[in-house]
Amino acid sequence: MRLRHIKGAEEDIAESPYVVQEPKELKGKWHEFFGNNNPIRIEVGMGKGKFIMELAEKNPDVNYVGIERYSSVLLRGLQKRAEMEISNIYFMRIDALELEEVFAEEEVDRIYLNFSDPWPKDRHAKRRLTSDRFLPIYDKILKKDGIIEFKTDNQGLFNYSMESIPEAGWTVEAATFDLHNSWMAEGNVMTEYETKFSGEGKPICKLIASRNKDAE
Ligand code: SAM
């Protein structure tokens, strides 16, 4: 998602109390920052943040961090955030490649990847958030028993991820090509893209991955 540049977006983000302005300074100190020892769950590429804000509202005992690289998109999320009475969620405008500089080893308990950009051309495969460029980063920041939850409508990206994830040493614990008609639908929170695509009749794919237990 890349919206037309909004004038003043950077300034609004820089002044927002909901955005962590210097996230690298919090590396290893996120629990201190939240003021509790609750688990920390992040969404990489949150877009306007509907999903992660809904989760934060439903689960006050979990800390959430939404990550988005484009200011214009993040700004839309902030407008919605301002209407909510919650204290367990913050946002960051960074690229996923910087995650290792922001979180210490095993500081994160779960990673959500929702409707990540598919980058269909082979020469762009490394930009996919489930490629071997990003999986080692998740491996570092995620607790040993942490999981990645990945949803997409894009069959090509899903098939690619069903291979790239095990190749990087993870185990696909569960997967479906039709989330909304599967046992995995229980408790499902829809993202913005999910609402749009499932409304068009497209099936949604989901997988849950953990570390490769066979390798231990
Ligand atoms: N997760 C939302 C949803 O499901 O409605 C938004 C999906 S949108 C297709 C993907 C989002 O991921 C875009 O807003 C894009 O800017 C963001 N994104 C893609 N690559 C990223 C990266 N490397 N780091 C941070 N955000 C990224």
Side-chain angles (χ1 to χ4, degrees):
M1 187 191 301
R2 194 169 184 175
L3 301 173
R4 202 158 42 86
H5 181 259
I6 300 171
K7 207 165 161 236
E10 280 81 9
E11 290 78 356
D12 287 356
I13 288 169
E15 284 165 14
S16 171
Y18 310 123
V19 177
V20 179
Q21 304 295 341
E22 302 289 348
K24 291 175 191 173
E25 288 177 8
L26 289 187
K27 184 174 176 171
K29 299 180 190 146
W30 280 94
H31 283 113
E32 219 176 288
F33 173 71
F34 277 107
N36 60 48
N37 258 332
N38 295 341
I40 296 171
R41 301 186 177 169
I42 68 175
E43 184 183 10
V44 182
M46 67 162 204
K48 297 178 198 165
K50 170 190 182 292
F51 169 84
I52 195 162
M53 283 190 257
E54 225 170 293
L55 283 187
E57 224 172 10
K58 283 196 164 128
N59 304 294
D61 294 339
V62 176
N63 300 317
Y64 292 93
V65 182
I67 291 144
E68 172 54 52
R69 68 175 168 184
Y70 289 126
S71 310
S72 53
V73 185
L74 176 54
L75 188 64
R76 296 289 179 84
L78 294 181
Q79 288 157 355
K80 168 108 182 90
R81 171 69 184 84
E83 297 160 11
M84 299 175 85
E85 303 254 332
I86 45 176
S87 57
N88 57 332
I89 183 166
Y90 285 90
F91 304 120
M92 298 191 275
R93 194 187 61 72
I94 61 159
D95 191 289
L97 287 171
E98 297 171 78
L99 282 170
E100 255 182 292
E101 295 159 54
V102 166
F103 293 105
E105 272 186 42
E106 299 196 44
E107 202 166 15
V108 171
D109 141 281
R110 189 171 297 184
I111 298 175
Y112 297 104
L113 303 173
N114 290 319
F115 298 80
S116 311
D117 300 318
W119 295 108
K121 291 187 180 139
D122 284 348
R123 69 171 192 278
H124 293 147
K126 293 265 183 205
R127 297 183 191 178
R128 298 173 192 152
L129 290 180
T130 51
S131 76
D132 62 6
R133 191 163 166 231
F134 290 95
L135 288 163
I137 299 177
Y138 308 148
D139 184 46
K140 273 227 171 110
I141 65 169
L142 194 62
K143 279 198 187 335
K144 287 286 163 274
D145 59 354
I147 55 169
I148 295 178
E149 294 198 16
F150 170 55
K151 294 196 276 190
T152 181
D153 65 304
N154 190 293
Q155 299 265 340
L157 179 65
F158 194 69
N159 289 332
Y160 165 85
S161 308
M162 287 288 283
E163 288 182 11
S164 66
I165 291 175
E167 273 168 18
W170 301 67
T171 301
V172 174
E173 301 281 354
T176 173
F177 286 87
D178 190 3
L179 172 62
H180 295 173
N181 293 305
S182 81
W183 64 270
M184 289 173 79
E186 201 190 319
N188 183 50
V189 170
M190 301 252 269
T191 81
E192 221 127 35
Y193 272 64
E194 186 171 357
T195 306
K196 176 173 183 283
F197 291 133
S198 59
E200 290 168 5
K202 288 188 184 154
I204 305 301
C205 306
K206 175 168 180 173
L207 68 78
I208 298 176
S210 67
R211 294 315 197 300
N212 196 343
K213 295 192 179 73
D214 301 339
E216 279 169 12

